[in-house]
Amino acid sequence: MNSPKHSSEYISAINVEQTKDEVYKFNFSTNDGEKNSWWYIFCLKCRQKEVGPGWEPGCWPKTCPHPYCPSFRHVARILALLVTVALFWGVVLAVMGSDAKPGGQLFNIAVLVVLAYLGGWVFRMLTLPALVGMLLVGIVYKNVGLIHIEGHYAEFVSILRKIALVVIFTRAGLDLDPVALKKLYCRVLFLALIPWCTEAAVIAVTVNYFLSLPWSFAILCGSIIAAVAPAVVVPCLFRLRTKGYGVAKGIPTLIIAVAGIDDAASVIAFGVGASMLFGTNPVTYDLLLSPISIAAGILYGLVWGFIVKYVPERTDPYVVPLRILMLSGGGLLAVLGFERTSLEGAGPLAVIISSFTSIYFWTKQGWHIEDNPVATAFEIFWMICEPILFGLTGTQIVLKELDLKFVTAIVICVAIAFVSRIFITIIVASGSSLNFKEKLFIALSWMAKASVQAALGPAVLEVASNNKNEEQIGYSRTIVMVCIISILLTAPTGAIIVSLSGPKLLTKAKPSNEQWRRGPRPSIRDITLNSEDEDNGISVSNDQVQESEVVKADCTTEDQSDKI
C-alpha cells in the first residue's frame, strides 16, 4: 500500500492535470472558429498534449497555449538533450582535439547527424516518415561538399552502421508477438515468404535487364529490396488503431509479424549472398558454408536468448538495465564477431533470433509485450541511431554522377516489383477471413522500404570496398542506389497510402469494445490482436484485458485515497 505522502502527491498531480485541462478548454471553447482553422488543426495533429501527471509553471498554459506551443515537458526535454550534447561534445573535444573542432571530420559527422535529426523532425511534423527527411539531409550535405569521410573515420562510420544494424534487428525481434505468431503461423508464413520471394525475383529480373546487373548481384539486390519497413508502416497503423480500424481481425499485428519475418529473410539472404559473392573460397565450399552460417546464427540466438532468460534473475531490482546490457552486448558480439569469420551472415540473424527468444521467455515470466521496458530502451536507442544511419546513407548519393536514364530505370524496377507484390499478396491471402478491401490494404502497407535497405545496401558496398575489386564496387554502388531510390520513392508514398486508405478499406470496431485505448508504450507492439473464445464465440482483445486491469487499479487507488 502506498504511503499517505505518495498518495497525496499522486492526487495533487491529477488535480494539476485537471486544472490544465480546464485552462485548455477555457482557452479554446470561446472561439470555435479558431478550432476550425487549418493552422489549429495542423498544430493539433503535430503536437498532441502530454498525457499523465506532470508539472509546469503556472503561467505556461496562458503564455504558451496548447497546441500552438510545445508543452513545458517537451521544452525541458529538448533543453536537456541540448545540454547533454554540449557536454558530450566538450568531452570529445578534450580527448580528440582538432578532429572535434569545426572543420574536422568528426565534427562534420556530428553536425550531419544533428541536421538529419532536424530534417526528420520537419518531415514528422508534416506527418511524413522522418527517415525521408534524414536521407535528403544526407544527400544535400554530401553534394554541397560539407563532408568527406576518409582514413580511420571510414572504419568509424562502418562501426556506427553496425551498431544501428544491431538496434534495428533487436527491435524487430522484440516486437514480434510469440502468441500471435503461434496462432497465425501458417497464414503469417505464407503471407511473408511467398510475396517476399516474388518481389525479390521480380527485382532480380528487372535490375538484370534494365541495369545490366549480373545475376549474382541482381539476386542479392532483390533479397534486400524485398524487405518491408515497419518504421514507416507502424506510426500509420498506430493512428488507425487508435480509431479502431482493423483491430477486430488483428490486421495490424499480422502486418507487423510479416514485416519481421521479411526482415529475417532478407538478413539470411544477405549473409548467404555476401559470403558467396565476396568470399575467396570455391563455390562448392560457399554452398556448404551457407547452411552452416544460417544454423550458426539460429543456434547463437537461441542460446543467448536462453541465457538472458536466467541471467539476470527475474526479481533482481536491476533486471531491466542488466537485460538491456546483455541483449546489446550479445548483439554487438554476434555482428562484429561473426564478421571476423567466414560466417558474417550469421550475425544479423543471430540478433533477431536472440531478441525474439528473449521476449518469448520474458512473456512467460510475466512481462507484457505491450509494456516491455527493454523494448522501450531500444526505441530510445533507435532515436539516436536513426539519424546516424539514414544521414550517412544519404551521403552515398552524388547527384552529378547520376544519369536520368539510370534513375528512371530504377524507378521502373521498383514500380514493377511493387505491383507484382500487390497481386501475389491478394492471391495468397485468398481463403482467409479477410475480405478484398482488407487484402488490398495489407498489400499496400507492404510497399514501403526503409531500415533494412539503408543498413544492408551500404554493407554490401563496404564488403566490396574491402576486397578492392573495382568491378564489384561498381555493382555494389548500383545496389546502394536502388536501395536509396526505393526508400525515397516508397516510404512517403506508402505512409500516405496507408493513412488515406485505412479508413476506406478497413472495418472500424465498435466503440463499446474499447479496442483502441492508447497503451503504455505507443510503439510497434501497441497493437491489438483479438482471440476468439471457442466456447461462446465472444471476441476478446488484449487491450480489453489491460483495460480491466487499469480500471481495477484505479478503483484500488480511489479506495486507498478514501481511507487516507
Side-chain angles (χ1 to χ4, degrees), residues 362-374:
W362 294 343
T363 53
K364 290 185 175 295
Q365 293 176 352
W367 273 16
H368 296 289
I369 294 180
E370 293 84 356
D371 191 16
N372 179 3
V374 175

Side-chain angles (χ1 to χ4, degrees), residues 63-143:
T63 56
C64 299
H66 172 80
Y68 298 107
C69 300
S71 65
F72 177 77
R73 177 185 296 177
H74 185 72
V75 172
R77 184 186 304 145
I78 296 298
L79 289 176
L81 290 174
L82 291 176
V83 172
T84 303
V85 170
L87 293 174
F88 182 76
W89 179 73
V91 173
V92 174
L93 181 63
V95 175
M96 301 296 296
S98 59
D99 284 348
K101 294 180 180 179
Q105 289 195 64
L106 185 61
F107 182 84
N108 291 337
I109 294 173
V111 173
L112 169 63
V113 173
V114 173
L115 292 178
Y117 178 83
L118 294 177
W121 177 81
V122 171
F123 270 67
R124 191 179 292 112
M125 292 300 99
L126 298 174
T127 64
L128 293 173
L131 56 93
V132 177
M134 298 173 185
L135 267 177
L136 292 177
V137 168
I139 294 173
V140 172
Y141 204 77
K142 173 66 174 180
N143 289 273

Side-chain angles (χ1 to χ4, degrees), residues 206 210 407-417:
T206 52
F210 289 105
V407 175
T408 304
I410 294 177
V411 172
I412 293 174
C413 295
V414 175
I416 294 175

